[in-house]
Amino acid sequence: MDTVRGANQVACLRFLADTDDAQTVGVISTGTGLSRPTVHAVLDDLVEAGLVVATEPSTAGPGRPARAFRFAREAGLVAGVDLGPRGARAIICDLSGRRVAYAELRQEPTPDLIQRAVHTAAGKCSIDLERLRAVGVALPGVIEPNGYLRASLALPDLVGVQIADLVAQDLGKPVAVDNDIKLAALAEQRVGAGRGYSDVVYLQIGQRLSVSIVLNGVIRQGRHRLAGELGAQRGMRWTRNAQRGQLIWASHPTGEEVLTAAADGDASARAEIDDFCAQIAARIATVLLTVDPEVVVVRGGLAQDSGVLLRPLVAAVEKELIFPERPPFVASALGREAVVLGAVGNTFDRFGSDIYGVKDYPSPWHQISTGAIP
């Protein structure tokens, strides 16, 4: 009985969450396929839980005025924070997944910068953080399930810090912490360039080259949380001039500048990209033959990849493979937002029952990805 009741709550709440307008019991009944008495009972529960609000009935026209109900998306908030070597980015979403606040802080990365980013985002939009229900954090490095940062080349000063506990103590809410590239891969698989595929390899090329894998719609962590950490292999260098995992470019200072110059026709930049792709192709081919994914999502630093990276990368990888079967390579659809979107979406996944008080309510990934930054 409780299972049926929970399923009915999810059906009614999803129906109301997908519309901006209040709906009558009759409309909800038709939309969900549930009987009117069932809808009445479910709505009473949801109103009591604070997830649904009953609007004032219309008095226009003859007969008894109809009651209408809307999803109380403003009743709760979920935050996501991307903490990296150059600062932090935070978004805050309401219960529908819509973004209601954003902040970016360019400061030295410290544990308290996570909380400050959330408070700054809330302050900019006069949001009461008493409504906050959970927080997600993305960090570069190897992270234990309890939120302990075990290793990180990008944030060496934070290694050994129990990030989840520190953030939870300050904000007083449950905290989900995971690797930034893994969260970016999850976001791309759920609502980005990998949408519709269960098995995705995510390749990010920037200051470092990082790989993450999603299998059957779930981040592949591995027994020791090391899946995709190719840079942890002793003596492994993605390219000849890489230093401690850091990619060093010759024609221009950063990878983004090299790609931009190549897109503008710079011959030296294009030659460097061709050489770069040839150097990393064997490693990528090994990952593909190990995982055999449905698609490879590549983020190279440009807002739109016109083929300046994808074409030479695909050509170089093809030379390493014997079999003709291979996954398509596609450009990232979420770009630099993938990490912070993954952080907040993963938090909805992890703490959905606590966030909504309704079991098995689906995470609002589609709203998280489409909302504009305030």
Side-chain angles (χ1 to χ4, degrees):
M1 189 68 177
D2 287 341
T3 301
V4 174
R5 184 177 184 178
N8 292 341
Q9 289 178 340
V10 169
C12 290
L13 199 57
R14 288 191 68 177
F15 183 83
L16 290 175
D18 288 337
T19 178
D20 289 327
D21 301 321
Q23 304 293 337
T24 65
V25 170
V27 171
I28 298 171
S29 174
T30 300
T32 60
L34 300 174
S35 68
R36 292 174 68 99
T38 296
V39 171
H40 271 294
V42 168
L43 290 175
D44 285 343
D45 289 341
L46 295 177
V47 168
E48 184 177 355
L51 293 171
V52 167
V53 174
T55 64
E56 292 295 326
S58 171
T59 57
R64 183 180 178 183
R67 296 177 71 200
F69 301 83
R70 68 172 180 84
F71 179 36
R73 55 175 51 91
E74 72 284 356
L77 303 168
V78 175
V81 182
D82 171 17
L83 180 68
R86 291 175 297 281
R89 304 171 66 225
I91 61 171
I92 300 176
C93 299
D94 62 21
L95 293 183
S96 72
R98 299 185 184 187
R99 302 183 215 183
V100 295
Y102 170 83
E104 185 167 357
L105 301 179
R106 292 288 185 178
Q107 298 176 26
E108 188 72 20
T110 57
D112 70 313
L113 187 59
I114 298 169
Q115 299 93 293
R116 279 192 279 132
V118 174
H119 283 286
T120 300
K124 288 171 65 175
C125 297
S126 300
I127 290 174
D128 181 7
L129 284 180
E130 288 297 317
R131 293 184 285 139
L132 189 66
R133 300 193 176 185
V135 181
V137 179
L139 299 172
V142 181
I143 299 154
E144 298 290 352
N146 62 2
Y148 172 83
L149 183 61
R150 193 170 87 224
S152 177
L153 290 176
L155 299 177
D157 292 340
L158 300 189
V159 171
V161 176
Q162 197 76 27
I163 299 294
D165 286 352
L166 288 177
V167 177
Q169 288 170 11
D170 182 77
L171 296 176
K173 304 299 175 183
V175 178
V177 183
D178 213 326
N179 173 270
D180 55 351
I181 305 303
K182 290 177 178 177
L183 291 175
L186 182 66
E188 289 285 358
Q189 186 270 331
R190 295 294 177 85
V191 290
R195 186 173 187 175
Y197 298 99
S198 296
D199 300 341
V200 177
V201 165
Y202 178 79
L203 176 65
Q204 179 167 300
I205 300 171
Q207 289 191 318
R208 302 176 183 275
L209 200 155
S210 305
V211 176
S212 186
I213 302 164
V214 174
L215 293 179
N216 295 321
V218 178
I219 298 171
R220 178 58 186 167
Q221 299 283 6
R223 174 65 179 84
H224 303 97
R225 314 282 289 187
L226 294 174
E229 295 286 346
L230 300 187
Q233 180 180 343
R234 193 177 300 279
M236 204 287 279
R237 299 172 69 183
W238 280 104
T239 60
R240 289 183 296 269
N241 57 345
Q243 298 176 6
R244 291 183 57 81
Q246 191 90 7
L247 297 176
I248 307 299
W249 302 91
S251 61
H252 296 275
T254 67
E256 183 174 353
E257 290 174 283
V258 173
L259 290 168
T260 301
D264 292 337
D266 186 316
S268 62
R270 289 191 173 185
E272 183 170 20
I273 290 173
D274 289 345
D275 181 56
F276 170 80
C277 291
Q279 290 185 63
I280 70 172
R283 296 283 185 182
I284 302 302
T286 299
V287 173
L288 300 188
L289 292 174
T290 302
V291 178
D292 193 18
E294 297 173 276
V295 66
V296 178
V297 177
V298 181
R299 184 188 168 215
L302 294 180
Q304 291 185 330
D305 191 313
S306 59
V308 66
L309 174 62
L310 288 182
R311 277 197 296 266
L313 181 59
V314 170
V317 171
E318 284 184 345
K319 291 179 181 179
E320 301 290 333
L321 300 173
I322 295 175
F323 296 107
E325 295 84 7
R326 64 214 49 187
F329 282 60
V330 298
S332 162
L334 303 178
R336 70 190 293 262
E337 282 198 13
V339 174
V340 74
L341 295 181
V344 73
N346 181 57
T347 305
F348 275 105
D349 285 351
R350 288 269 302 274
F351 301 124
S353 295
D354 296 324
I355 292 169
Y356 295 104
V358 174
K359 187 177 180 181
D360 297 328
Y361 187 78
S363 301
W365 278 98
H366 63 293
Q367 291 282 17
I368 296 170
S369 64
T370 57
I373 291 178

